[in-house]
Amino acid sequence: MGTMLIGYDVEWRGARGDGDVTERFLDRVQELHNRLGIPATLFILGQTLERCPQAFQPLVDDPLFDLQQHTYSHQLLKTVYIEDGGRVQVIRGADLDTIRWEVHLTNDLLRDLLGVECIGLTGPWCYYRGLRDRPDILQVLWEEGIRFTRTDGRNEHDYHPVPLDLQPYWYEHVGFPEMLELTIHGWHDCVLRDSLGWQDLDGYVESVKPYIGRAASENKLFSYVQHDWSSIQEDPEMKATEALLRYAQERQLTFMSCREYYELACSMREHREATTSVLRREASR
């Protein structure tokens, strides 16, 4: 039947001169997800939480919402080299000390302001191959309590789209067998909507639907990213988001928060390891 994870990167407040973007988004997204009964994860920028902690409070005790982090000030974890077919753009990643500070501070803010213990992180901009080539960054994240990441969200050109064939994986081959990468598929919503035109809501919905349909028909995970500011830009009622979620319901996808998926993956891994251990003992008799 397939599974869908939807994670919102929560970044902006009072941006672009159009009022309190994050506060309006949070009100709308909570109403929408509660009406549909669909869980979601918010990956929150530390700066945004620091500026308006009261706006997040209603979501803390809402069982449909999982609150994780997106660094403090949107510092990239590693360099991206974007080839979008028109130009080359290089955005440098932060050094390890800065990464540690960004993650540590945001964890503290989530704990102190909301009482939330953070174990998950979305890497700003996301990267080709996630952090498989950066065990040094994984070490920092592990030491700061991060247990699942959402950083693998660009193709071989450090651009989009990312194929659905890329499914979640453990970082075991680089020394972190208990760190799960959740991946992101397709296009980042803001890039897609900007390329289509912000008012083309139907075009946006139709561009995302094939990923949902394929996840359903092939029993795959579809992990999707939206942002607070882009979710309501030219769509204050989030009608496009509602259309996608309803389509996924029609295709009978299972919805989970990122934390729920991580906990399920841990349980399945432990069961698999226990079964393997039993089989080995029996084979050695």
Side-chain angles (χ1 to χ4, degrees):
M1 292 184 351
T3 302
M4 182 170 177
L5 309 181
I6 183 163
Y8 299 94
D9 292 352
V10 183
E11 301 172 346
W12 293 81
R13 181 176 186 268
R16 307 187 183 194
D18 55 0
D20 292 331
V21 170
T22 294
E23 294 177 23
R24 288 190 286 112
F25 163 78
L26 292 175
D27 287 342
R28 182 59 186 148
V29 79
Q30 186 173 22
E31 188 280 328
L32 173 61
H33 279 264
N34 274 275
R35 178 157 46 83
L36 298 180
I38 292 175
T41 300
L42 303 180
F43 291 94
I44 305 166
L45 208 66
Q47 283 183 336
T48 303
L49 173 60
E50 198 172 38
R51 291 169 183 158
C52 56
Q54 73 287 345
F56 293 90
Q57 198 61 52
L59 295 146
V60 173
D61 297 320
D62 190 325
L64 287 177
F65 284 89
D66 164 35
L67 277 55
Q68 305 296 338
Q69 74 147 291
H70 192 36
T71 75
Y72 178 73
S73 65
H74 212 261
Q75 293 275 346
L76 274 66
L77 303 184
K78 77 177 198 181
T79 298
V80 295
Y81 186 95
I82 302 171
E83 300 172 287
D84 63 7
R87 60 172 179 164
V88 172
Q89 185 179 10
V90 180
I91 311 295
R92 294 189 177 276
D95 59 73
L96 291 178
D97 288 341
T98 299
I99 292 171
R100 185 183 297 279
W101 182 85
E102 290 261 331
V103 174
H104 186 90
L105 178 56
T106 306
N107 276 351
D108 282 351
L109 288 169
L110 282 163
R111 183 184 304 111
D112 296 343
L113 296 177
L114 301 179
V116 170
E117 293 296 332
C118 174
I119 62 169
L121 174 145
T122 286
W125 290 56
C126 290
Y127 324 104
Y128 175 53
R129 296 172 60 85
L131 298 174
R132 282 183 277 194
D133 58 343
R134 293 298 305 270
D136 53 340
I137 297 176
L138 287 170
Q139 182 67 46
V140 170
L141 299 183
W142 181 266
E143 291 172 358
E144 295 301 326
I146 300 301
R147 294 298 177 263
F148 68 83
T149 58
R150 196 176 66 150
T151 64
D152 198 333
R154 289 179 177 267
N155 62 24
E156 66 274 18
H157 301 291
D158 256 344
Y159 197 54
H160 316 285
V162 178
L164 196 68
D165 294 328
L166 178 67
Q167 292 287 288
Y169 54 85
W170 300 95
Y171 281 108
E172 57 186 326
H173 295 300
V174 289
F176 296 88
E178 297 180 356
M179 179 85 84
L180 182 66
E181 172 60 50
L182 291 183
T183 72
I184 292 174
H185 299 115
W187 293 75
H188 295 193
D189 71 316
C190 50
V191 178
L192 179 57
R193 289 196 60 201
D194 188 57
S195 66
L196 292 170
W198 287 95
Q199 294 183 333
D200 188 2
L201 300 181
D202 291 339
Y204 169 64
V205 171
E206 292 304 314
S207 295
V208 179
K209 276 185 176 181
Y211 292 93
I212 295 173
R214 188 178 166 202
S217 63
E218 299 181 14
N219 193 27
K220 290 183 180 292
L221 173 77
F222 174 46
S223 176
Y224 194 54
V225 59
Q226 290 195 177
H227 297 72
D228 55 345
W229 57 275
S230 54
S231 292
I232 63 174
Q233 186 165 325
E234 301 296 337
D235 188 17
E237 298 302 312
M238 292 180 64
K239 292 181 180 179
T241 306
E242 180 170 353
L244 289 173
L245 295 177
R246 287 191 179 278
Y247 182 70
Q249 286 181 322
E250 292 169 5
R251 297 306 304 269
Q252 298 185 318
L253 264 65
T254 298
F255 293 91
M256 291 184 177
S257 71
C258 292
R259 182 188 284 265
E260 287 173 329
Y261 187 89
Y262 165 75
E263 291 173 348
L264 177 62
C266 287
S267 178
M268 293 174 63
R269 185 194 63 207
E270 291 168 2
H271 176 73
R272 186 168 57 250
E273 290 174 350
T275 301
T276 300
S277 178
V278 169
L279 293 175
R280 285 176 177 171
R281 287 200 302 271
E282 290 179 351
S284 65
R285 289 177 181 173

